[in-house]
Amino acid sequence: MSIRPTSAMWKQFMQREADSAMSLQGQIRQMLVAAILDRQIPLDEPIPSSRELSSHIGVARNTVVIAYQQLVDEGYLLSRERKGHFVNPAILEGRAGKVETPHADPAAAAPDWNRRFRFRPSAQRNISKRADWQHYPYPFVYGQFDPTLFPTADWRECCMKTLSVLEISEWAQDMILRDDESLVRQIRTRVLPRRGVWASDDEIVITVGTQQALYLLADLLMSSDTPVGIEDPGYPDARNIFSSRTRRMESLEIDQHGLVVDDRLKRCDYVYVTPSHQCPTTVTMPLERREALLKMAEQSDFIIIEDDYDSENPFEGEPLPALKSLDRSNRVIYIGSLSKSLAPGMRLGYVVGPAELIGELRGVRRLNLRHPAAYMQRAFAIFLSLGHHDSLLRRLSTAHHERAAALTAALARHLPQFRHVPIAGGSSCWVEGPDWLDAGALAEAALAHGILIEPGSVFFTAEPPPKNCFRLGFSSIAAEKVEPGIKALAEVVKDLHSIE
């Protein structure tokens, strides 16, 4: 039974729906819609007048009037002359009421879910990132964005253009097995040439980020007996995705030049590699080794899966060409990300490969989620076409270069006993501490001082993994915070060492 809300209840409803990112008018709409759909307002009694509600919740009356009119237009409220506004009973039709759940029969056997799981993703070692990272003064986390560098006006412009009547008629339809043609064209003509890669439209498929690209490839190409090679240390999500499909994982050695090209690769059907910016050590594979890797792939008949993340802006000189740009026998499957540089929450990536492979990937993607959000594809296509993306990359390169210099200097000044890979690009730094260091314990202790770092053990396949390495990201921390953050981290290290 509905109970007529009191003044205190209206205030409580408003507080529950309050959202600093939403206008007062929007918050009132949220409050009323929730109260109506949750059947908290009697159907036979008018809701408070605009004057009464504005008094109850402390907002201007005109704001309430506009919200009421919008809800009348959308069928949530009925306006009755001289009587006020009432809940429209039609809006509640077709909605099942609350059903009392009978008490469980203790004699009934619950399903044994553990027996039914094909594998347990929760048991895999994964990179862990705090959702509240923005509340910490020194967030040395990789893969997050800096709100001060986000091109808000540019992105809003592209979103507004995407909402024009003509654009909506294009992206609102079900694309099934295709992608937004304008986004594919922008990737082909604007994005890939930066890496020396040339492809036709039918050799490109859009994905929901790199993770989905890897998952689709694993679904299509790998069985339980497929030998797959992966860098060690390497990208944990790739390792976990591939190991969920095959039991034959081959750990491949990394040195100061990236993946070591040796006979272990000959045992693989597929080799996953991050040559331009090795994950997590950040080293770059030189041209000679890239050519040697391609030659061995041809001789030993294996396929290379190239993840070209964080490769857009090297700090010094011209970037080395992607493996895919050197490929003459269609042995390289190329994976890229569109959203990592703009905002990782947008989740847009792509795969480049032979047309026959891309066609089948589209089929697997249809089974998986049909296609990535067409609205987001069109908005990003416009963002690229207007030159906003290239402009953003230049700004990010300048900011990251400044932060990398500050980080390098701070590590030398405050943690001279720690070794780190020289930062040549990207937005992270791989650090190796003394043998006694437990980076997991360091990360936990650093939290109390507002410092976020990423322990490196998760990147290693070996058990037990090395404990003295960690990663410092600098895409989301201001340059002026870098030196104080490392100085504070050095104090935490000193405290841990004294305990040792």
Side-chain angles (χ1 to χ4, degrees):
M1 177 181 293
S2 300
I3 301 175
R4 181 175 177 79
T6 63
S7 176
M9 291 173 67
W10 283 115
K11 289 180 181 178
Q12 184 179 4
F13 290 161
M14 189 66 174
Q15 290 173 351
R16 184 183 66 186
E17 300 298 334
D19 182 348
S20 60
M22 182 75 69
S23 66
L24 282 174
Q25 182 182 314
Q27 292 178 42
I28 293 170
R29 281 174 54 89
Q30 286 183 325
M31 172 187 70
L32 289 169
V33 168
I36 291 169
L37 297 183
D38 293 344
R39 301 175 186 268
Q40 295 174 319
I41 303 176
L43 296 179
D44 56 353
E45 294 187 28
I47 65 174
S49 68
S50 57
R51 190 183 303 277
E52 289 175 321
L53 187 60
S54 65
S55 175
H56 290 333
I57 62 178
V59 301
R61 181 187 176 192
N62 193 50
T63 304
V64 179
V65 170
I66 294 173
Y68 276 12
Q69 187 56 53
Q70 289 176 334
L71 292 175
V72 169
D73 294 341
E74 295 181 9
Y76 284 89
L77 296 178
L78 296 174
S79 179
R80 296 175 180 169
E81 191 173 357
R82 295 193 180 90
K83 293 184 179 181
H85 290 89
F86 293 76
V87 173
N88 183 2
I91 205 72
L92 300 175
E93 292 176 359
R95 299 175 63 88
K98 185 176 181 180
V99 178
E100 294 296 329
T101 305
H103 293 293
D105 180 0
D112 180 3
W113 289 109
N114 288 328
R115 179 178 61 82
R116 295 172 181 270
F117 295 143
R118 183 175 64 83
F119 72 109
R120 297 186 67 93
S122 62
Q124 294 178 317
R125 292 188 297 121
N126 288 290
I127 298 173
S128 177
K129 296 182 186 293
R130 296 186 66 91
D132 59 349
W133 64 270
Q134 295 189 66
H135 298 155
Y136 287 78
Y138 307 116
F140 291 102
V141 290
Y142 175 76
Q144 295 293 8
F145 80 119
D146 184 344
T148 66
L149 294 176
F150 184 82
T152 303
D154 296 338
W155 182 249
R156 183 183 290 119
E157 173 196 9
C158 296
C159 289
M160 293 302 295
K161 289 181 182 296
T162 308
L163 290 173
S164 71
V165 174
L166 183 61
E167 296 287 356
I168 290 174
S169 67
E170 289 292 323
W171 62 256
Q173 58 185 297
D174 186 351
M175 291 185 175
I176 309 178
L177 283 172
R178 64 186 180 89
D179 290 307
D180 185 276
E181 289 86 353
S182 60
L183 179 58
V184 172
R185 182 170 61 253
Q186 288 298 318
I187 292 172
R188 177 173 58 79
T189 61
R190 291 282 186 88
V191 178
L192 292 179
R194 292 176 65 97
R195 303 296 298 123
V197 176
W198 303 93
S200 57
D201 287 357
D202 62 354
E203 294 177 321
I204 302 170
V205 62
I206 308 299
T207 62
V208 184
T210 299
Q211 264 71 22
Q212 194 204 17
L214 295 172
Y215 210 92
L216 294 178
L217 288 169
D219 252 3
L220 180 64
L221 302 175
M222 299 171 191
S223 67
S224 61
D225 201 39
T226 303
V228 178
I230 189 164
E231 300 165 322
D232 187 14
Y235 184 35
D237 284 30
R239 180 186 68 223
N240 291 337
I241 288 170
F242 297 150
S243 64
S244 74
R245 287 292 182 271
T246 178
R247 61 177 180 269
R248 296 182 61 186
M249 296 288 291
E250 184 79 29
S251 294
L252 305 175
E253 184 183 351
I254 296 295
D255 65 12
Q256 71 272 23
H257 298 303
L259 178 69
V260 175
V261 179
D262 60 19
D263 286 348
R264 279 174 290 192
L265 276 65
K266 298 178 180 179
R267 300 196 289 265
C268 303
D269 280 354
Y270 300 93
V271 172
Y272 172 81
V273 62
T274 54
S276 295
H277 204 74
Q278 201 277 327
C279 177
T281 66
T282 75
V283 299
T284 298
M285 183 184 291
L287 183 60
E288 296 78 8
R289 187 172 292 189
R290 295 178 188 225
E291 292 172 340
L293 175 59
L294 289 169
K295 183 177 180 180
M296 181 173 285
E298 293 178 7
Q299 293 174 342
S300 301
D301 192 25
F302 61 80
I303 300 297
I304 299 168
I305 300 173
E306 178 185 14
D307 186 344
D308 200 34
Y309 85 105
D310 242 2
S311 60
E312 296 95 344
N313 289 307
F315 295 156
E316 302 293 340
E318 293 295 321
L320 285 174
L323 270 176
K324 182 64 177 174
S325 72
L326 306 172
D327 179 25
R328 297 295 176 266
S329 56
N330 264 342
R331 289 196 170 273
V332 177
I333 302 171
Y334 181 88
I335 297 174
S337 172
L338 290 172
S339 52
K340 186 178 290 294
S341 56
L342 179 58
M346 291 182 179
R347 310 307 307 148
L348 271 182
Y350 56 90
V351 179
V352 180
E356 57 188 319
L357 169 70
I358 297 302
E360 296 303 329
L361 280 178
R362 289 185 189 281
V364 177
R365 190 189 66 179
R366 177 182 182 177
L367 298 175
N368 182 260
L369 54 65
R370 211 166 184 89
H371 59 78
Y375 170 83
M376 190 63 69
Q377 292 189 53
R378 178 56 59 91
F380 215 108
I382 295 173
F383 189 77
L384 285 162
S385 70
L386 294 177
H388 295 319
H389 188 250
D390 290 278
S391 178
L392 172 63
L393 290 179
R394 287 194 297 272
R395 292 197 300 274
L396 289 177
S397 179
T398 299
H400 290 173
H401 199 172
E402 180 185 7
R403 296 171 191 186
L407 180 57
T408 298
L411 288 171
R413 183 179 305 118
H414 300 293
L415 291 170
Q417 72 275 38
F418 285 55
R419 297 183 297 275
H420 72 275
V421 176
I423 307 172
S427 57
S428 68
C429 178
W430 183 248
V431 182
E432 182 180 344
D435 291 341
W436 60 263
L437 179 70
D438 183 336
L442 174 62
E444 187 173 344
L447 277 175
H449 298 268
I451 309 165
L452 295 178
I453 67 172
E454 296 181 278
S457 60
V458 70
F459 296 96
F460 292 89
T461 302
E463 289 287 356
K467 292 184 176 181
N468 62 328
C469 298
F470 58 94
R471 181 167 68 171
L472 296 172
F474 49 83
S475 61
S476 55
I477 183 169
E480 63 269 17
K481 290 290 191 73
V482 170
E483 198 274 341
I486 296 301
K487 182 178 180 180
L489 182 64
E491 291 300 318
V492 179
V493 170
K494 187 184 299 182
D495 292 342
L496 283 179
H497 198 196
S498 65
I499 296 173
E500 295 288 325

